[in-house]
Amino acid sequence: MSVIPRIVVLGGGFAGLTLCTQLDALASEGLAQVTLVERTPSMSVGGLNQFVLRRQVHASDVPMRYSGGTELRCPSVRFLCDEVTDINVKEREVHTRSEVLDYDYLAIATGATYAPEVIPGLATSAYNICSLQDTLQLRDALDRFQGGRIVMSIPQLPYKCPPAPQEFILIVETLLREAGNGLREKTDLVFTTEAEGPFPLTTFFKKRFEDYGIRIVEFAPVKEVETNKKRLVFGTGRDGNCAEPMSFDLLMATFPLAAPSAFQSLCDASRLIPSDPRSMRTEWDGVWALGDCARMILTSGPMHPKAGGFAVVQAEALAENLEALVRSDSKSDAGAENLGISKCDAEVGNNEGAMVSVNLMGGPTSQFDLGPVTKEAVEDKLQWIRDSLEVWFKKKPKF
Ligand SMILES: Cc1cc2nc3c(=O)[nH]c(=O)nc-3n(C[C@H](O)[C@H](O)[C@H](O)COP(=O)(O)OP(=O)(O)OC[C@H]3O[C@@H](n4cnc5c(N)ncnc54)[C@H](O)[C@@H]3O)c2cc1C
């Protein structure tokens, strides 16, 4: 351990920015040397894709520039715009394209990238709803769409933001109705998922889909997308059955996840980094993994779902624990009581939304509650994104 502990944070997204904003005090007091490594010059919030799809937010207003860190509310943290290429946990080194950084404490918060190659044909056939570029192309395709079948598919678990696919297909349903000319009547909408129906709030979303004429095909993992035939081919689901192949005219999908390639040596078969949902610790001393890059298994059985709200509470808890370590206080668990708790508005179609409240670890099973369905909830969601960004950035978002 160096005289002043070196804390290296990898990834300037929900988790990394929350962590650095909170660790800034330690750095400004000279108690720790904190470095944030981020490979891109700006941050793009995935939750804005829905607003871009419905033309409420301009795509050009989505990226928030870090401006070499000068725009961030953590002035005492060193910002390094560079890509991590390797980690050596034995030597406690992070390799970037330009530097080797030694660390005493390492927080891996690099989010998840996509591994569409796991499902042949997926990348060339589907719009990835998690990509801003694909969302723009999807919007153009919808403008040209004259009728047929639109499928929203969750081909494999896990994926980012559990309600996002439900939001996308319900927004598309609204857009088709608003387009007029009977376009909605000329369109068959289908939602396929590896899970047992839409998750979370399965009962609510099943009813909502029924009300808006969206068919559900559940327990349907996708084995292959036949690009030429425009057809989804399913494998055997957890119910032991294999759904019939499904043709489509337009396909939206979540893509299988993977931690960025530099971290694959730390991953298990899930392509994510195993870490403890209560402490974010990995099996390596002084290394934590949090947010979307982590594979955390809940005591109730399933994998911890991925959402910005969870990444934030994990980062807050880790910041408190790192601060306690650096200040040599007795080990603190402060903040840990909020782990797995999140609240966020979700769009539910018809230009309406509702607040989803989640507590993953408060009882033997995860709890999901839904507030009243209102028009205001859609704007509330946008405001939540603005408020989140203003915690990390000095400048206000343009949307
Ligand atoms: C369409 C969509 C809608 C969503 N809606 C919501 C919502 O309504 N509510 C909600 O709570 N969550 C939502 N989410 C999920 C949320 O965006 C993610 O869960 C959250 O961003 C995860 O935070 P993170 O810090 O783990 O990763 P990220 O925010 O993805 O940040 C990771 C950062 O690491 C950087 N990085 C990656 N590899 C490297 C490398 N090798 N070297 C250096 N830097 C690297 C990346 O550039 C990135 O900036 C949504 C996601 C999508 C895609």
Side-chain angles (χ1 to χ4, degrees):
M1 171 95 60
S2 62
V3 181
I4 298 179
R6 295 152 305 184
I7 303 176
V8 176
V9 178
L10 307 182
F14 273 74
L17 290 182
T18 303
L19 200 46
C20 288
T21 306
Q22 293 208 195
L23 292 176
D24 191 62
L26 274 187
S28 71
E29 288 173 48
L31 293 175
Q33 205 183 77
V34 185
T35 305
L36 170 62
V37 188
E38 165 56 50
R39 72 175 164 193
T40 59
S42 55
M43 178 196 191
S44 292
V45 172
L48 289 171
N49 291 3
Q50 289 91 318
F51 293 93
V52 170
L53 182 66
R54 62 222 297 282
R55 290 189 161 81
Q56 197 176 337
V57 167
H58 287 289
S60 57
D61 290 340
V62 172
M64 294 287 290
R65 293 192 71 78
Y66 300 107
S67 304
T70 56
E71 282 297 343
L72 294 176
R73 292 188 189 276
C74 47
S76 302
V77 171
R78 178 185 174 221
F79 181 86
L80 177 62
C81 188
D82 201 350
E83 182 173 13
V84 176
T85 51
D86 195 17
I87 306 280
N88 185 335
V89 282
K90 274 200 188 128
E91 301 298 327
R92 291 182 173 245
E93 288 172 352
V94 171
H95 294 241
T96 73
R97 293 205 178 277
S98 63
E99 292 187 24
V100 177
L101 299 163
D102 297 308
Y103 66 82
D104 298 299
Y105 304 122
L106 177 66
I108 307 177
T110 47
T113 55
Y114 307 103
E117 66 280 3
V118 171
I119 300 173
L122 183 66
T124 46
S125 308
Y127 297 101
N128 174 5
I129 63 163
C130 295
S131 147
L132 180 59
Q133 280 316 312
D134 277 22
T135 302
L136 284 170
Q137 288 172 15
L138 167 65
R139 204 175 71 180
D140 291 346
L142 285 169
D143 286 345
R144 294 189 303 269
F145 192 71
Q146 308 225 313
R149 180 177 291 150
I150 299 180
V151 176
M152 171 72 242
S153 179
I154 301 168
Q156 196 181 84
L157 304 174
Y159 59 92
K160 292 188 189 187
C161 188
Q166 290 85 291
E167 293 184 282
F168 263 79
I169 193 150
L170 284 160
I171 292 171
V172 167
E173 197 281 334
T174 307
L175 292 173
L176 293 172
R177 263 191 295 126
E178 289 175 348
N181 296 326
L183 187 56
R184 175 64 188 95
E185 289 69 33
K186 287 185 233 161
T187 308
D188 181 25
L189 288 174
V190 184
F191 181 90
T192 84
T193 173
E194 186 192 356
E196 182 180 2
F199 169 87
L201 303 161
T202 307
T203 309
F204 169 82
F205 276 112
K206 278 191 169 174
K207 174 79 174 67
R208 196 80 177 169
F209 282 6
E210 193 184 320
D211 290 348
Y212 287 98
I214 300 168
R215 276 194 293 141
I216 300 172
V217 179
E218 57 190 2
F219 297 118
V222 175
K223 203 166 70 177
E224 183 187 352
V225 187
E226 294 176 338
T227 307
N228 295 341
K229 291 186 183 165
K230 291 190 130 191
R231 215 164 69 135
L232 290 169
V233 180
F234 300 103
T236 305
R238 277 180 281 149
D239 62 347
N241 296 319
C242 186
E244 288 295 312
M246 159 96 42
S247 61
F248 59 83
D249 297 290
L250 192 154
L251 178 63
M252 307 181 277
T254 56
F255 281 17
L257 299 181
S261 54
F263 304 89
Q264 282 306 310
S265 62
L266 308 183
C267 295
D268 65 8
S270 70
R271 302 180 295 272
L272 300 169
I273 305 169
S275 80
D276 183 320
R278 292 240 166 239
S279 65
M280 284 78 71
R281 283 184 189 282
T282 66
E283 65 180 89
W284 300 280
D285 189 36
V287 181
W288 290 262
L290 62 163
D292 285 1
C293 68
R295 193 224 55 174
M296 300 176 179
I297 301 296
L298 297 168
T299 38
S300 54
M303 193 189 290
H304 193 307
K306 317 230 161 273
F310 297 134
V312 166
V313 289
Q314 288 167 6
E316 287 169 349
L318 179 55
E320 288 201 39
N321 285 322
L322 282 173
E323 190 165 352
L325 275 174
V326 169
R327 293 187 192 277
S328 302
D329 290 348
S330 56
K331 166 118 180 39
S332 159
D333 271 335
E337 71 273 10
N338 291 329
L339 287 171
I341 295 180
S342 177
K343 267 187 180 184
C344 187
D345 288 285
E347 293 205 36
V348 298
N350 201 32
N351 298 320
E352 294 172 325
M355 170 69 79
V356 182
S357 308
V358 190
N359 189 345
L360 297 176
M361 297 191 247
T365 57
S366 301
Q367 291 150 28
F368 295 88
D369 293 309
L370 193 74
V373 172
T374 65
K375 297 272 182 211
E376 291 72 35
V378 177
E379 176 56 28
D380 291 348
K381 175 164 179 159
L382 196 53
Q383 190 56 43
W384 173 77
I385 296 174
R386 288 188 197 109
D387 292 345
S388 300
L389 288 167
E390 286 187 35
V391 172
W392 308 316
F393 289 87
K394 291 181 202 158
K395 68 186 159 210
K396 282 189 181 300
K398 289 194 197 137
F399 50 84

